[in-house]
């Protein structure tokens, strides 16, 4: 089985090699392979999650087709875009309590000025 970190790095490398202009936008984001298990079908599905700050959401949409094409060629089902700024400011989120390291990484991404 291929590790999630390896798949994430492979996605970044493919973007870097074939669409260097899109790589600059990924430098502002946190990428993570997300897993979904379908019990009825007995399948594991993998997505790539792009956690991004609010201020680059419009720019990220420009490269949406490129990211989807690369993900599909890697065998991933979909690209999911998650607003990190809203996620860390959500008062009902338990992310800070249950996954403090991940929350700190998202906080770093959401508050950086690039």
């Amino acid at each position: 089985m291929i590790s999630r970190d390896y798949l994430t790095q492979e996605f970044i490398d493919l973007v870097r090699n074939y669409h260097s202009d899109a790589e600059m936008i990924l430098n502002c984001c946190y990428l993570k392979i997300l897993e979904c298990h379908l019990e009825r079908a007995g399948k594991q599905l993998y997505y790539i999650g792009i956690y991004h700050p609010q201020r680059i959401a419009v720019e990220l949409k420009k490269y949406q087709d490129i990211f989807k094409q690369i993900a599909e060629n890697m065998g991933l089902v979909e690209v999911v875009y998650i607003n990190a700024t809203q996620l860390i400011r959500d008062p009902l989120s338990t992310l800070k309590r249950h996954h403090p390291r991940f929350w700190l990484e998202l906080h770093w991404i959401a508050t950086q000025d690039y």
Side-chain angles (χ1 to χ4, degrees), residues 6-110:
Y6 178 78
L7 283 174
T8 304
Q9 190 58 47
E10 189 67 26
F11 182 84
I12 293 169
D13 290 343
L14 287 171
V15 171
R16 180 183 303 129
N17 291 335
Y18 295 106
H19 301 282
S20 59
D21 53 332
E23 179 201 4
M24 294 178 66
I25 198 80
L26 286 184
N27 288 336
C28 302
C29 301
Y30 181 84
L31 279 70
K32 186 175 182 179
I33 298 293
L34 306 172
E35 181 180 343
C36 176
H37 179 72
L38 299 176
E39 284 189 35
R40 286 190 171 177
K43 290 186 178 182
Q44 295 282 110
L45 302 176
Y46 295 95
Y47 300 82
I48 182 119
I50 300 178
Y51 295 87
H52 62 88
Q54 176 69 40
R55 67 183 176 283
I56 65 165
V58 175
E59 284 185 59
L60 200 59
K61 286 203 177 240
K62 294 178 191 175
Y63 301 107
Q64 192 171 5
D65 293 332
I66 292 169
F67 296 147
K68 182 175 174 81
Q69 181 183 23
I70 291 173
E72 286 177 351
N73 288 333
M74 289 179 60
L76 302 172
V77 175
E78 188 66 54
V79 180
V80 179
Y81 301 94
I82 303 161
N83 189 334
T85 307
Q86 287 180 351
L87 191 60
I88 63 167
R89 293 187 178 151
D90 182 8
L92 298 177
S93 174
T94 60
L95 190 62
K96 186 175 183 180
R97 189 171 354 123
H98 292 113
H99 303 285
R101 178 175 277 173
F102 182 55
W103 185 87
L104 280 173
E105 297 218 16
L106 292 181
H107 190 275
W108 175 261
I109 284 173

